[in-house]
Amino acid sequence: MSEKTPIPLGSNFIRAIVEKDLAEQKFNLKKWAGSPGDALHQAAGHIDSAKIRTRFPPEPNGYLHIGHAKSIFLNFGLARDYGGICHLRFDDTNPEKESQEYVDSISDAVQWLGFGWQNGNENNLYFASDYFDEMYRAAVGLIEAGLAYVDAQSADEMRINRGTLTEAGKDSPFRNRSIAENLNLFNEMRDGKHADGSLILRAKIDMASPNINMRDPAIYRIRRAHHHNTGDKWCIYPMYTFAHPIEDALEMITHSICTLEFEDQRPFYDWLLDNLAKAPTEANGESKLGLIATPVPHQYEFSRLNLTYVVLSKRKLIDLVEQKYVSGWDDPRLPTLAGARRRGYVAEGFKLFTDRIGVSKADSWIDYSTLEDCMREVLNESAGRRIAVLDPIKLVIENYEAGKVEDCFAPNHPQQPELGKRIVPLTKELWIEREDFMEVPSKGFFRLMQGGLVRLRYGYVVKCTGFEKDAAGNVTMVTCEYLPDTKSGTAGADAIKVKGNIHWVSAAHAYECEVRLYDRLFSAAHPGEAGTDYLTQLNQNSITKITAQLEPSLKNAKPEDRFQFERHGYFVADKKDSVAGKPLFNRTVTLRDAWQK
Ligand code: ATP
Ligand code: MG
């Protein structure tokens, strides 16, 4: 077994922050009423038994990819390691492009990675669209506090007046409307009295701020669109940057972890939550509580995962699927978690991978081979060994009795003898790998050659006597004679030393089936780099389908059963195209070391 050093807690900067916060007892008075809600709701709850709360907040507008796995292990992992709870929150405030299929696939992927949202009798699965009423109240609260206004500038005017990185922006002519006027207009927006895009609610912060995100950002827009959860109830929708902090606050999140591109949004995140925690709204007015409870959540950013030879962006993945460059979201070549699973990747491999790459603020590319190494390490220990001939030619043992069947014993796992051995039948006609015979052997070739000796793995030593070729010069059959006293596991086995050792499958017993060999989806390490169209960089040979001869036991493999095919790599019974008694196999990953002997 390989040595695995556990990653010490506190070994990344976010863990260090959590540990410091806990040491300072920052959340000891934090209340939680058992469900998300405003300050009044939470105030009626108990001291939260969860020491921290994190969340994984996917937008259900696509399937999750390997980058999301990093975020899942980070958020759920922090909660698990520090006595906290991690929420699964569907960030579905954008009415377009979201669907139930995506919600289901995301839930599946999170569970497949080993996490869940049922904590005791608390179900921490949430939909941001359930908070539209609170978001609306938050917007009203800001208007009442003089911190938001309805702007009637056109999109172009707003863009021009926003200024640039070096130039301050200009105040909107509508910036100084009265609170009453703003409230009235915002209600009219909600009631459908204005056309899409004609009015927009903006936070009133500072048009001269050096941070463009603080120049009166838009917070609510008019958009007549059907929403998968709320139907046609709303024709105004909150902007993501407004909605997300409120979602975190209603769920009493302590550490809101996101990728680095949101770093510039943090001042607005803080501005918004500080003001909402202060501003008493009509609903909460009498209790003198702000709209949201304290302590308010804080945002922390880490660098997103970039992986060579794939694209980790839902938009690009959607292109690949919709334009049919791949067979679907679960195509085993795709870096989606659904694809990775079908490819035979394992959740423990992703855990090892995320531990190994760590969490930091430095942007970098991780080589795809790092992920493959992690899968190999996990599969090497967990996958049983089987025999498969991927490029078969016949080997006939001339001095072996026709019709005779002899049991040979193959270990299920060389490093785990407790897993026992299985019987593989030996007969006169076998399938062997084409590359295990050479008419004109190259230097260092120790397998079958005219007159040479080789061991049939778990069987006898044989001597090659001849071969046949077809008209095109391809070898079609090899003949040999076996040495009867040399069977593996018998006293005579060591009497003759041979350098080569080849695998084989009895032709009469073999399970013939389709095996799919996968290669990288893109031929470029950084697809789309320097303005290149990533769709032109697809590897044209990313899939090869072959007909292989497998040892008979593999006929009984169930979907998602994983094996090491000796000398070839790790394979999985395809979960989609396999039928009972007729599994198909996908190559997950090759063996690290090419077969040398
Ligand atoms: P994409 O850019 O692929 O559309 P996204 O960030 O829009 O991804 P979300 O559904 O918003 O997708 O992501 C949910 C969570 O996963 C977010 O917190 C996001 O930061 C995180 N995440 C997304 N991509 C990566 C990545 N490549 N590495 C690490 N975390 C990621
Ligand atoms: Mg997103």
Side-chain angles (χ1 to χ4, degrees), residues 182-233:
N182 280 315
L183 279 176
N184 184 43
L185 280 172
F186 188 50
N187 281 336
E188 285 182 15
M189 282 169 64
R190 179 198 57 190
D191 295 340
K193 303 228 167 89
H194 298 276
D196 283 17
S198 61
L199 295 175
I200 199 156
L201 185 69
R202 298 178 75 178
K204 192 168 175 178
I205 310 179
D206 179 7
M207 288 305 292
S209 170
N211 181 342
I212 294 193
N213 298 301
M214 295 296 273
R215 295 182 189 169
D216 294 6
I219 60 181
Y220 250 102
R221 65 201 162 121
I222 308 174
R223 187 86 194 80
R224 283 172 177 77
H226 188 81
H227 189 280
H228 77 105
N229 181 21
T230 56
D232 296 317
K233 177 177 175 195

Side-chain angles (χ1 to χ4, degrees), residues 500-540:
N501 181 325
I502 67 172
H503 68 262
W504 50 272
V505 173
S506 160
H509 298 83
Y511 167 47
E512 180 179 291
C513 88
E514 180 177 308
V515 170
R516 294 137 182 202
L517 308 178
Y518 297 104
D519 198 353
R520 291 177 165 146
L521 184 56
F522 288 93
S523 47
H526 305 144
E529 196 179 44
T532 322
D533 177 4
Y534 67 98
L535 292 172
T536 64
Q537 297 174 310
L538 284 158
N539 173 5
Q540 298 305 321

Side-chain angles (χ1 to χ4, degrees), residues 55-59 61 65 67-68 70-71 257-259 261 302-305 312-315:
R55 85 287 173 267
F56 173 64
E59 188 180 349
N61 61 350
H65 53 62
H68 292 112
K70 177 175 178 179
S71 178
I257 299 163
C258 62
T259 42
E261 62 274 22
F302 70 102
S303 65
R304 61 190 293 121
L305 171 66
L312 297 182
S313 139
K314 275 190 246 160
R315 186 183 55 74

Side-chain angles (χ1 to χ4, degrees), residues 511-513 552 554-559 578-585:
Y511 167 47
E512 180 179 291
C513 88
L554 286 167
K555 206 171 160 64
N556 303 319
K558 310 249 176 340
S578 294
V579 291
K582 245 190 154 313
L584 308 184
F585 289 88

Side-chain angles (χ1 to χ4, degrees), residues 10-81:
S11 61
N12 70 50
F13 79 100
I14 294 182
R15 285 177 173 270
I17 290 168
V18 170
E19 287 176 9
K20 182 163 174 285
D21 289 349
L22 290 176
E24 291 172 359
Q25 310 203 330
K26 261 194 175 171
F27 316 117
N28 281 26
L29 299 177
K30 181 168 75 83
K31 286 192 165 178
W32 169 248
S35 57
D38 65 9
L40 201 59
H41 173 81
Q42 302 299 2
H46 299 288
I47 297 290
D48 195 351
S49 58
K51 292 206 169 70
I52 58 169
R53 282 186 190 263
T54 55
R55 85 287 173 267
F56 173 64
E59 188 180 349
N61 61 350
Y63 278 57
L64 296 186
H65 53 62
I66 297 173
H68 292 112
K70 177 175 178 179
S71 178
I72 291 171
F73 277 103
L74 178 58
N75 282 296
F76 281 93
L78 282 172
R80 181 196 54 210
D81 295 343

